[in-house]
Amino acid sequence: VCNTATGSLVAPNTHYYEFDKNGSAIATEAQWEWAVSGFQLLGDLATRLGFRFAFETHNCYLHDLPQPSRQLVDRINRPSVGINLDFGNIILNPNRCSLAESVRICGDRIYEVHLKNLFLLPVHKYYNFIPCGLADGVINHREFLRELAHLDFSGPIVIETPREGDRECFARQDIRYLKDLIADLATQV
């Protein structure tokens, strides 16, 4: 699975971190058509070569939120083109939906997931979060993995460790947490 993107969409005179004013909120039909036609060609190639593309749900892109991401892959209509569901990005967008709704919307087109966590700060400024460990923060990864299990998801689960400092130590903590969580959920099936 190859994580992919269509290109950044930031409105003139708008700050990058004003996520609700960028990305899919400002995409023109021409930009949609460009992305669809380009990834239909790339999707055909990926199918022939036996790999998949996954659009990361990422702010300031056409595929920033679950609904436009699903719309994009549905319009492309190639089995080798799906979604990389990164709820850690979605949660930063004022127009976000819940974790369960995100998984439901993206559904069978989730080909990869990125896991990270953060604390949201009670301020309405551009940069209003602090990265933290997977077990900390506002995202319930137990719920995330449980929702994915209902879909029989079998794609890559990628841990993102965007914290400063001893990144190797943080990565080991996150891996240990994820392994324990997977083991715990496996006993509940």
Side-chain angles (χ1 to χ4, degrees):
V1 177
C2 178
N3 189 37
T4 196
T6 57
S8 183
L9 294 173
V10 179
N13 304 314
T14 302
H15 195 281
Y16 177 87
Y17 286 110
E18 292 181 274
F19 299 135
D20 57 330
K21 297 176 184 171
N22 294 312
S24 65
I26 62 164
T28 65
E29 184 55 33
Q31 289 165 324
W32 278 93
E33 290 172 9
W34 172 85
V36 168
S37 65
F39 273 92
Q40 285 175 333
L41 292 172
L42 291 170
D44 291 340
L45 175 65
T47 299
R48 283 196 308 275
L49 296 176
F51 73 96
R52 292 175 161 187
F53 286 106
F55 288 107
E56 181 174 353
T57 52
H58 198 290
N59 290 300
C60 297
Y61 287 89
L62 180 62
H63 42 88
D64 50 2
L65 295 167
Q67 191 64 41
S69 297
R70 183 64 194 229
Q71 182 181 350
L72 180 61
V73 299
D74 285 350
R75 285 178 67 171
I76 293 168
N77 195 26
R78 298 298 189 270
S80 57
V81 181
I83 299 167
N84 170 0
L85 186 56
D86 188 331
F87 194 71
N89 293 331
I90 294 168
I91 201 165
L92 297 174
N93 194 310
N95 294 328
R96 68 184 169 268
C97 56
S98 71
L99 176 57
E101 185 71 3
S102 296
V103 172
R104 188 194 64 73
I105 290 168
C106 296
D108 63 337
R109 298 311 291 268
I110 300 171
Y111 291 176
E112 179 179 350
V113 294
H114 281 180
L115 300 183
K116 61 180 168 259
N117 217 334
L118 46 90
F119 295 110
L120 293 174
L121 302 174
V123 294
H124 299 285
K125 297 289 182 188
Y126 302 134
Y127 194 85
N128 64 352
F129 63 95
I130 298 172
C132 62
L134 283 183
D136 306 316
V138 298
I139 300 171
N140 183 338
H141 288 100
R142 182 177 304 275
E143 176 189 354
F144 198 173
L145 294 182
R146 194 176 287 132
E147 292 287 340
L148 291 171
H150 292 310
L151 296 175
D152 293 324
F153 174 77
S154 61
I157 297 173
V158 179
I159 298 173
E160 292 186 319
T161 310
R163 295 171 281 167
E164 298 294 323
D166 188 344
R167 296 171 71 87
E168 289 180 31
C169 175
F170 296 147
R172 282 193 295 274
Q173 290 170 356
D174 288 346
I175 289 169
R176 190 168 34 254
Y177 165 76
L178 184 57
K179 285 181 176 181
D180 288 348
L181 181 56
I182 290 170
D184 187 39
L185 289 171
T187 64
Q188 297 175 17
V189 174

